[in-house]
Amino acid sequence: MLTIEELQSITLERQGLRYDAPFGEGKAAVGQALEQLGYLQIDTLSVVERAHHHTLWTRIPDYKTDYLDELVQERQIFEYWFHAASYLPMRDYRFAQAQMLEVRDNDSHYYKADSTVMQYIIDTIRAEGPKRVRDFENQAKKKGSWWDWKPTKIALERLFLQGDLMVSGREGMQKTYDLPERVLPATLDLTVPSPMEFANYLVKTYLNAYGWTTVKQIMHLKTGEGVRKDVKEVLSVMLEGRMVESIHIKCYPPVFVRCDLMEVKAERNIPEVRLLSPFDNAIIHRDRLKQFFDFDYRMECYAPKEKRQYGYFCLPILFGNTFVGRVDCKAHRKQQQFEIIHLHVENQSVDLDLWAKPFAERIKQFVLFNGCTSLKLSQVSPSNRTSALRKLLEGLF
């Protein structure tokens, strides 16, 4: 029977958070990381470096932000929807087609685009090549309708979601669209998966990325009893075939563990600190994080300022197997100053003196990754550690 600590170790190992450079170096490491993690969530918030870059930097010390765009252009990865906007390995494109077909067949989808505009976009891109939203005429919509998006942008999003267009590149967060036949590798399997094949893909993706999973995690932001039934059937077949083992821990949901990982032993004394993006794959399932790591984390950037407990954009601080606190940060890029708005030291079972220096080393690396050359510490809780931490952190530059 595995302990909670051993389950933690398995997940952190599979997530690439136990050791430095677990996927190797350079652009090749990005492909390796994405194939193991299964997806990489894209987010537009830029308080610190955007989530997709931050998540990869956490696992690839020499990561450069150009790598993702280059891999898209090399047709090794593509953009679509996992549980959110994501980069995915090109090998998995066929499994995205199930959702594409669902959008195409759904007249009630929230992207309700004008069919004439959609056809105009397809014809224009076919004749003239890849296009961005701004390349089309700005056709105003009625005031207050769909955030005043122009019809072409709504049509572009609908065509993208139903698979008639693909993102062929980016300039920052500005997407360029093209026809799939110009983007997809000629040898790619485009067979639409059956429901059971899709369920099998979901189960294996989570088991590969985390080492173990629960039905709830697999179904995260996915709807339909049909999918849930198929997922349970896949797990049942894997149990019979000794590919996974089901373990039951009091007060926890049933856990399905890969049999080849059942002998993993917990290593709690690895003195590494990780600063995780709020959208990092390791913590995106908040219920799992609370249940199995005893860390209650919620993003507060969408909450009114007066209702925030920790800050606008707090990064969880992971030390070994333990979340020891969180840090609210902001990169002031014009001034090249990185500000720690509020450092929250939380887990009192782990002595701060054990992780303060590794934390300082990681912060220094993160400051440089964010294009900053100086560091400012504004607040620490509890306040009695402010002086020592200020001396340690502000002495880094």
Side-chain angles (χ1 to χ4, degrees):
M1 174 66 70
L2 294 174
T3 64
I4 294 297
E5 289 77 13
E6 287 165 342
L7 289 175
Q8 292 171 351
S9 291
I10 289 172
T11 279
L12 296 176
E13 178 87 28
R14 298 302 302 173
Q15 281 286 303
L17 295 174
R18 296 293 283 172
Y19 310 102
D20 283 335
F23 302 111
E25 300 178 346
K27 186 165 62 175
V30 176
Q32 292 288 332
L34 197 52
E35 288 189 359
Q36 180 145 324
L37 298 177
Y39 75 95
L40 179 69
Q41 185 165 335
I42 302 169
D43 195 76
T44 59
L45 291 172
S46 58
V47 181
V48 296
E49 186 56 82
R50 289 188 172 94
H52 38 290
H53 297 310
H54 182 175
T55 298
L56 288 172
W57 172 83
T58 302
R59 296 156 171 85
I60 305 169
D62 66 345
Y63 174 75
K64 294 180 173 55
T65 56
D66 291 338
Y67 288 160
L68 282 171
D69 290 336
E70 291 173 10
L71 288 170
V72 169
Q73 292 167 10
E74 293 166 10
R75 311 311 187 223
Q76 295 187 46
I77 65 177
F78 73 102
E79 287 191 34
Y80 196 64
W81 208 260
F82 193 68
H83 65 259
S86 302
Y87 290 103
L88 298 106
M90 187 62 78
R91 68 178 187 193
D92 292 341
Y93 179 83
R94 65 183 293 252
F95 296 104
Q97 292 184 117
Q99 184 168 337
M100 293 174 185
L101 290 173
E102 184 178 333
V103 174
R104 185 178 293 121
D105 295 338
N106 185 359
D107 291 335
S108 64
H109 195 276
Y110 52 85
Y111 281 112
K112 294 181 179 180
D114 186 293
S115 60
T116 303
V117 177
M118 291 170 67
Q119 189 60 54
Y120 162 70
I121 289 172
I122 291 289
D123 291 343
T124 302
I125 290 177
R126 180 173 286 113
E128 301 178 11
K131 296 289 182 183
R132 299 161 298 177
V133 173
R134 67 177 118 170
D135 293 325
F136 292 94
E137 291 184 19
N138 186 4
Q139 303 174 29
K141 293 191 67 179
K142 292 181 181 180
K143 186 176 180 181
S145 176
W146 198 255
W147 306 305
D148 293 325
W149 279 12
K150 53 190 177 181
T152 49
K153 184 163 186 178
I154 296 175
L156 278 166
E157 290 296 330
R158 174 77 187 218
L159 289 166
F160 166 70
L161 286 172
Q162 65 186 35
D164 292 317
L165 291 178
M166 289 187 69
V167 175
S168 61
R170 278 181 179 264
E171 292 180 16
M173 295 305 292
Q174 179 72 38
K175 294 180 283 190
T176 300
Y177 297 91
D178 202 353
L179 303 176
E181 55 263 35
R182 295 176 183 164
V183 177
L184 296 172
T187 58
L188 192 66
D189 182 3
L190 298 179
T191 307
V192 178
S194 68
M196 282 301 294
E197 285 178 313
F198 182 70
N200 190 64
Y201 156 73
L202 289 177
V203 172
K204 289 187 175 180
T205 295
Y206 279 102
L207 287 172
N208 189 49
Y210 299 94
W212 54 271
T213 189
T214 65
V215 171
K216 184 175 182 179
Q217 182 181 5
I218 296 170
M219 292 300 299
H220 179 62
L221 296 182
K222 295 175 179 63
T223 58
E225 279 305 310
V227 179
R228 180 180 294 272
K229 180 181 177 182
D230 291 341
V231 162
K232 289 182 177 180
E233 177 63 24
V234 170
L235 287 169
S236 178
V237 171
M238 294 180 78
L239 282 167
E240 291 178 9
R242 298 290 299 152
M243 297 173 65
V244 298
E245 185 170 326
S246 178
I247 63 174
H248 298 267
I249 303 173
K250 188 177 180 180
C251 300
Y252 289 84
V255 172
F256 299 89
V257 187
R258 281 176 36 175
C259 285
D260 61 323
L261 299 177
M262 287 293 294
E263 301 303 318
V264 171
K265 298 300 179 185
E267 297 179 66
R268 294 187 58 83
N269 298 318
I270 297 177
E272 290 282 355
V273 165
R274 309 289 182 195
L275 303 176
L276 301 184
S277 166
F279 301 97
D280 192 289
N281 299 51
I283 64 169
I284 199 64
H285 304 282
R286 311 301 195 207
D287 290 344
R288 172 182 168 128
L289 186 65
K290 173 62 176 173
Q291 288 177 328
F292 293 97
F293 285 87
D294 194 26
F295 188 62
D296 191 4
Y297 179 74
R298 296 290 184 272
M299 281 192 65
E300 298 183 330
C301 58
Y302 303 115
K305 185 175 181 179
E306 63 274 11
K307 293 186 177 181
R308 294 176 196 150
Q309 181 179 0
Y310 296 104
Y312 182 82
F313 202 72
C314 270
L315 312 181
I317 304 169
L318 177 67
F319 177 60
N321 278 29
T322 306
F323 287 90
V324 292
R326 64 196 88 196
V327 56
D328 189 27
C329 304
K330 182 175 177 60
H332 301 280
R333 295 179 179 85
K334 287 185 178 180
Q335 297 80 22
Q336 293 189 311
Q337 183 185 68
F338 190 92
E339 181 182 4
I340 295 179
I341 300 169
H342 200 154
L343 171 57
H344 302 267
V345 180
E346 296 176 54
N347 194 317
Q348 302 304 317
S349 67
V350 182
D351 191 337
L352 175 60
D353 292 335
L354 293 176
W355 61 269
K357 286 186 178 180
F359 171 74
E361 292 170 4
R362 193 64 71 187
I363 277 286
K364 182 177 182 178
Q365 295 166 3
F366 195 55
V367 169
L368 297 173
F369 178 62
N370 277 271
C372 296
T373 57
S374 65
L375 175 65
K376 175 185 177 182
L377 175 63
S378 296
Q379 186 176 356
V380 177
S381 293
S383 58
N384 62 352
R385 304 308 298 260
T386 302
S387 178
L389 284 166
R390 189 182 303 280
K391 182 178 180 180
L392 178 65
L393 293 170
E394 295 190 346
L396 293 172
F397 294 90

